[in-house]
């Protein structure tokens, strides 16, 4: 075989900027968010740097990327601080894929960190008031627009030996909270069951910097 031609994509870099929503605190922020890209329709290729961990505020660069479709996974573990949004050329891509290069040369990601987060505490007990340990607690934002977004927004964990669970830092807003001994995973069926049953869950209003406590009994979500 001769004269074979293989089209290739150029390697590009992507700047990631972390900005703080609100005034700069008096003390330096030492925690760092983590931002990872996942190619939507392929595996990672050699030389492709898909993760960064910038300062708050700060910038860092991903290198060796292709002009391709990516999804985002962003995490931050810190009291009061949470990831409010990630944008690409002004468009939110925190829960939606984006095409690198669609915004033109020089466009980057911006991660917005807010400072008014709180957490939700849940005390799980049976009908006789006895604490229930090792039971799953699921927290869902009430304003989730679809099942696909819900899969990315679900917060869950297990109660300790006293039947208590405390969430990570969450954005202020309304949430649905449920305790269950049923198993669930990230399949469309499980997410659909949660979505369809949310009216039976307990509503919780989380105010800025708040820490409301709720008492729950395990229920069936199937």
């Amino acid at each position: 075989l001769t004269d074979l031609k293989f089209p290739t994509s150029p390697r590009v870099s992507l700047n990631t900027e972390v900005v703080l929503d609100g005034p700069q605190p008096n003390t330096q922020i030492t925690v760092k968010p983590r931002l990872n890209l996942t190619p939507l329709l392929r595996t990672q290729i050699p030389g492709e740097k898909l993760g960064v961990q910038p300062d708050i505020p700060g910038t860092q660069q991903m290198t060796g990327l292709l002009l391709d479709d990516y999804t985002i996974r962003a995490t931050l573990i810190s009291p009061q601080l949470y990831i409010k949004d990630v944008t690409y050329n002004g468009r939110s891509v925190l829960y939606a894929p984006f095409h690198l290069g669609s915004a033109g040369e020089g466009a980057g990601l911006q991660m917005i960190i807010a400072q008014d987060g709180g957490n939700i505490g849940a005390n799980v007990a049976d009908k006789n008031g006895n604490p229930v340990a090792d039971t799953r607690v699921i927290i869902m934002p009430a304003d989730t627009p679809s099942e696909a977004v819900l899969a990315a927004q679900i917060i869950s964990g297990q109660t300790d030996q006293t039947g208590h669970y405390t969430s990570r830092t969450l954005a202020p807003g309304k949430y649905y909270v449920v305790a269950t001994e049923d198993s669930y995973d990230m399949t469309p069926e499980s997410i659909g069951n949660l979505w369809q049953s949310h009216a039976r869950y307990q509503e919780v209003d989380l105010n800025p910097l708040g820490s409301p406590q709720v008492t729950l009994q395990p229920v069936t979500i199937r």
Side-chain angles (χ1 to χ4, degrees), residues 127-145:
K127 61 181 180 180
N128 297 317
N130 300 312
V132 181
D134 301 322
T135 295
R136 185 174 297 279
V137 176
I138 300 172
I139 302 175
M140 304 183 300
D143 60 355
T144 300

Side-chain angles (χ1 to χ4, degrees), residues 50-219:
L50 296 176
V52 291
Q53 201 168 7
D55 292 325
I56 306 175
T59 60
Q60 212 167 37
Q61 192 175 69
M62 300 183 190
T63 57
L65 308 182
L66 299 181
L67 300 177
D68 205 349
D69 294 321
Y70 293 89
T71 58
I72 284 177
R73 177 173 175 79
T75 57
L76 173 62
I77 301 176
S78 175
Q80 301 181 7
L81 300 179
Y82 64 94
I83 299 170
K84 186 175 182 178
D85 203 1
V86 178
T87 64
Y88 180 63
N89 195 36
R91 180 177 70 89
S92 177
V93 294
L94 183 57
Y95 301 116
F98 75 102
H99 186 83
L100 179 57
S102 62
E105 186 177 355
L109 294 173
Q110 185 179 72
M111 179 186 292
I112 304 166
I113 305 297
Q115 308 178 66
D116 59 349
N119 55 61
I120 296 175
N123 295 295
V124 182
D126 60 22
K127 61 181 180 180
N128 297 317
N130 300 312
V132 181
D134 301 322
T135 295
R136 185 174 297 279
V137 176
I138 300 172
I139 302 175
M140 304 183 300
D143 60 355
T144 300
S146 67
E147 292 183 23
V149 175
L150 176 62
Q153 290 184 322
I154 284 177
I155 303 100
S156 70
Q158 286 188 311
T159 57
D160 59 20
Q161 295 305 304
T162 66
H164 185 74
Y165 165 77
T166 300
S167 74
R168 60 173 171 80
T169 305
L170 305 174
K174 180 178 290 187
Y175 292 85
Y176 296 114
V177 185
V178 62
T180 183
E181 295 178 343
D182 293 344
S183 61
Y184 99 99
D185 49 37
M186 302 308 291
T187 61
E189 286 186 352
S190 288
I191 299 300
N193 287 335
L194 289 171
W195 177 268
Q196 295 167 12
S197 304
H198 71 270
R200 298 191 290 113
Y201 306 159
Q202 186 162 334
E203 289 188 15
V204 179
D205 287 316
L206 177 60
N207 296 322
L209 304 178
S211 55
Q213 302 290 313
V214 296
T215 300
L216 306 170
Q217 286 187 16
V219 301

